[in-house]
């Protein structure tokens, strides 16, 4: 009889554990964007102190000067690669188009089940890069920047949020999800540092302020 009750207690505990796990899964976002992990806040602060402060210049800018999206593997281009990386249970067809899946946008906390609701954001926008040094780059370097999957530069987010961001820097725009802002500024500084881009004075002030709270 003792063995019977012991087995029964184990069964009840197992059932409760399963229920708790199910509730946790239900409450969690259905997918989490997989932006490459940015450098630490301390490293970002160090990088920021080394960036040149300069006035921005957009003369001659044209988005087409940054070739994107390029083929990454097989039939998959950069956009499709990021959608697959950042989504959950993503299914693609023979053309590498996402036909189903779930995507969590960390900028605004929204979850989407249609790839058409997502844009691939350049954390440091193409126009911002041009303004702060990319105007002097080769075409190949601009292409690498626009399709960089190694640095924390590309992320799938809600399309209208990306469009609202436009080409604004952190002095002008930040994600509405405040808990993501530290990640965002660390990513921003890492990308600018890696590519040798400058910052303007308002941008540096904003980045300094946000990083002080990380």
């Amino acid at each position: 009889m003792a063995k019977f009750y012991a087995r029964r207690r184990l069964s009840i505990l197992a059932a409760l554990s399963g229920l708790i796990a199910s509730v946790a899964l239900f409450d969690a976002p259905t997918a989490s964007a997989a932006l490459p992990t940015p450098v630490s806040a301390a490293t970002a602060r160090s990088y920021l102190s080394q960036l040149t402060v300069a006035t921005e210049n957009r003369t001659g800018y044209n988005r087409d000067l940054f070739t994107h999206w390029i083929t990454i593997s097989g039939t998959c281009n950069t956009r499709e690669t990021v959608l697959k990386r950042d989504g959950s249970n993503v299914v693609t067809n023979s053309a590498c188009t996402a036909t189903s899946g779930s995507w969590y946008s960390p900028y605004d906390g929204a979850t989407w089940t249609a790839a058409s609701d997502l844009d691939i954001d350049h954390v440091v926008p193409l126009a911002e890069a041009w303004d702060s040094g990319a105007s002097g780059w080769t075409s190949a370097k601009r292409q690498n920047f626009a399709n960089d999957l190694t640095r924390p530069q590309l992320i799938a987010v809600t399309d209208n949020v990306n469009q609202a961001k436009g080409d604004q820097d952190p002095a002008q725009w930040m994600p509405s999800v405040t808990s993501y802002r530290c990640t965002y500024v660390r990513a921003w500084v890492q990308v600018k540092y890696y590519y040798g881009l400058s910052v303007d004075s308002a941008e540096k002030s904003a980045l300094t302020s946000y990083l002080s709270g990380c």
Side-chain angles (χ1 to χ4, degrees):
M1 184 63 71
K3 290 182 179 179
F4 169 77
Y5 283 117
R7 286 195 299 270
R8 187 176 180 184
R9 282 196 298 270
L10 288 173
S11 297
I12 292 171
L13 287 172
L16 285 172
S17 297
L19 179 60
I20 291 168
S22 298
V23 170
L25 182 62
F26 180 78
D27 288 341
T30 53
S32 296
L35 182 79
T37 303
V39 295
S40 68
T43 299
R45 286 190 287 269
S46 174
Y47 284 176
L48 180 58
S49 70
Q50 300 174 62
L51 296 183
T52 299
V53 178
T55 303
E56 296 182 349
N57 184 349
R58 193 160 298 187
T59 302
Y61 172 71
N62 187 318
R63 187 175 176 84
D64 292 339
L65 293 170
F66 293 80
T67 303
H68 66 289
W69 305 115
I70 62 171
T71 299
I72 298 299
S73 177
T75 60
C76 301
N77 66 21
T78 315
R79 170 183 165 82
E80 293 155 347
T81 300
V82 175
L83 284 172
K84 189 170 183 180
R85 181 198 72 185
D86 290 2
S88 177
N89 301 317
V90 177
V91 176
T92 57
N93 61 21
S94 59
C96 202
T97 301
T99 57
S100 64
S102 179
W103 292 267
Y104 173 74
S105 170
Y107 286 3
D108 58 329
T111 297
W112 304 96
T113 56
S116 59
D117 289 320
L118 285 299
D119 278 354
I120 307 305
D121 180 45
H122 290 93
V123 172
V124 176
L126 304 182
E128 169 67 25
W130 180 272
D131 296 350
S132 50
S135 59
W137 292 353
T138 63
S139 296
K141 186 171 181 178
R142 285 195 289 267
Q143 176 176 296
N144 289 341
F145 176 84
N147 300 276
D148 191 345
L149 294 167
T150 303
R151 263 60 56 181
Q153 165 66 344
L154 299 174
I155 186 170
V157 297
T158 302
D159 54 3
N160 60 1
V161 171
N162 180 55
Q163 291 152 26
K165 171 188 171 180
D167 56 15
Q168 299 179 91
D169 68 32
Q172 304 158 318
W173 184 93
M174 286 291 283
S176 61
V177 176
T178 56
S179 61
Y180 196 72
R181 290 178 177 178
C182 182
T183 300
Y184 184 78
V185 294
R186 284 158 46 213
W188 182 283
V189 171
Q190 180 180 347
V191 171
K192 282 224 158 178
Y193 180 83
Y194 179 82
Y195 283 97
L197 295 170
S198 63
V199 290
D200 64 36
S201 56
E203 176 188 354
K204 182 172 183 178
S205 178
L207 289 166
T208 300
S209 177
Y210 284 115
L211 283 171
S212 69
C214 289

